[in-house]
Amino acid sequence: MNEIKEPRSVRRNLSKLVVPIFIETLLIMMLGAVDTIMLSQYSDNAVAAVGVVNQLIMFAFLIFEVINLGTSVLCSQYLGAKKQKNVVQVVGVAILLNLVLGLVVSAILHYGAPLLLTLMGLRPELMVYGVGYMEIVGAFAFFQALSLTVSASLRSANKAVYPMMVIVVVNILNIIGNYSLIFGKFGMPALGVEGAAISTAFARGVSMIILFIILFRKYIPKFPIDYFRPFPFVELKNLLKIGLPSAGENMSYSLSQVLLTYFINMLGNEALTTRTYVVNMVMFVYLFAIAMAQGGAICIGHLVGEKKIRAAYLLGKYVMRISILVSLVLSCIWALMGHTLFSWLTDNAEIVRLGTVILFVDVILEVGRAINIYATNALRATGDVNYPFYVGVVVQWSIAVGCGYLFGLYWGWGLVGMWCAFLLDENIRGIIFVRRWNSMKWAKKGFVK
């Protein structure tokens, strides 16, 4: 019976995690949103180009999640089981692997910018903005690789407040840098899109340095060499066992979004710009769901490590209910304010009209998205990593991509039709994941033996 009541005592730890993760995620999103808002005062074409570039860059960043997702799950379960040596080994291996991956990805994004954007079908009038932005931001992608790894390890140890504090500093630097370098203030040159890229890359570099200082001072003072002799291949295997299918699901989603962005690009610049504005707006709708899911996953991982399976199940149900409620309320507010929000961003009447309609369609979409964000994180935390991957690949590509093309292009419903396809994708996956969690088939998937 004590185990059944466990979530009530865990909720205090959950709230301590959710609040800083919420603020951190909000400020991370603002890094991209600030670029979009400031560039909207510079050029609608610049906004469209940077939107396509960020789609590619965020897909590339998912490569780092192969290691980071494994780091978070393993550290949470090992900390629950009080296996500190294993925690140090996992973090050390993760940092090494993501450094190598980060350098490779940085080189590909920097040198392959023109080719990749050409393959995305970016039109010539947008290419001049897109290539310059991608070459600069892409060259320093390894900053983000290492920052994400350190942040994941700190959050799994209930130290989510530190990554949050770092992002506060980074956002201030990014806002000042954008204002200075986009518009040529404080004696700086007016570099436009390239100025936004320089500011973003610099802010990410500062973030990486501060996070490493915190890691060594507050969590892992050193990585003893004898912990890595012989090399802990079992931890590497576990990282990949969790990370590959987990990141594979994220990559499938992101790649499907890249293809859908290509379809939207075929609809014209106004549709592409509207999509960029909408994506940046609705990020703030599902922000709380992300924070709840990540905080809940850490607590669920601890409970699984402690062998408190029933408590983990009940906590997951609680996280899902709160996530749906908040997402639904926020999406309704956004929809009602849609015309006003778009009027602030652009004077293009077609973009305002199209965006306002899409925000109403998005209300139902956000219910499914909240469930998916919670369920994929919760299932990974238990070690049930393959199921979300299989469901994601099948449904995303058959419904989001297939129906997106059918509704948006073939039947000519345009961007609104595509959003209806996205609505179906999110909610179908949501129903499947709720059934999986209730089945308790994840209960024997843990990594602590």
Side-chain angles (χ1 to χ4, degrees), residues 336-402:
L336 293 172
M337 293 179 59
H339 190 275
T340 302
L341 292 171
F342 276 98
S343 297
W344 286 345
L345 292 170
T346 181
D347 55 4
N348 186 310
E350 177 59 18
I351 293 176
V352 173
R353 183 198 66 80
L354 194 56
T356 302
V357 173
I358 287 172
L359 286 180
F360 277 98
V361 176
D362 194 73
V363 170
I364 305 302
L365 184 152
E366 296 305 327
V367 174
R369 196 195 318 257
I371 297 173
N372 291 327
I373 292 171
Y374 135 74
T376 52
N377 279 275
L379 290 171
R380 288 169 191 155
T382 68
D384 190 9
V385 294
N386 290 321
Y387 192 80
F389 171 68
Y390 297 142
V391 172
V393 169
V394 173
V395 180
Q396 287 159 11
W397 288 91
S398 62
I399 304 299
V401 175

Side-chain angles (χ1 to χ4, degrees), residues 107-180:
I108 292 171
L109 291 176
H110 177 73
Y111 294 107
L115 175 61
L116 291 171
L117 292 176
T118 299
L119 292 174
M120 282 293 292
L122 201 66
R123 282 180 286 280
E125 67 269 22
L126 304 184
M127 190 69 75
V128 63
Y129 298 116
V131 171
Y133 187 87
M134 186 167 172
E135 284 181 342
I136 296 170
V137 173
F140 298 98
F142 68 94
F143 288 165
Q144 191 75 350
L146 295 174
S147 293
L148 290 170
T149 305
V150 177
S151 292
S153 63
L154 290 171
R155 282 195 297 268
S156 67
N158 292 332
K159 300 180 186 294
V161 68
Y162 293 115
M164 178 202 75
M165 293 167 63
V166 171
I167 292 296
V168 171
V169 174
V170 168
N171 267 268
I172 293 171
L173 290 175
N174 189 52
I175 291 170
I176 295 172
N178 273 351
Y179 183 69
S180 303

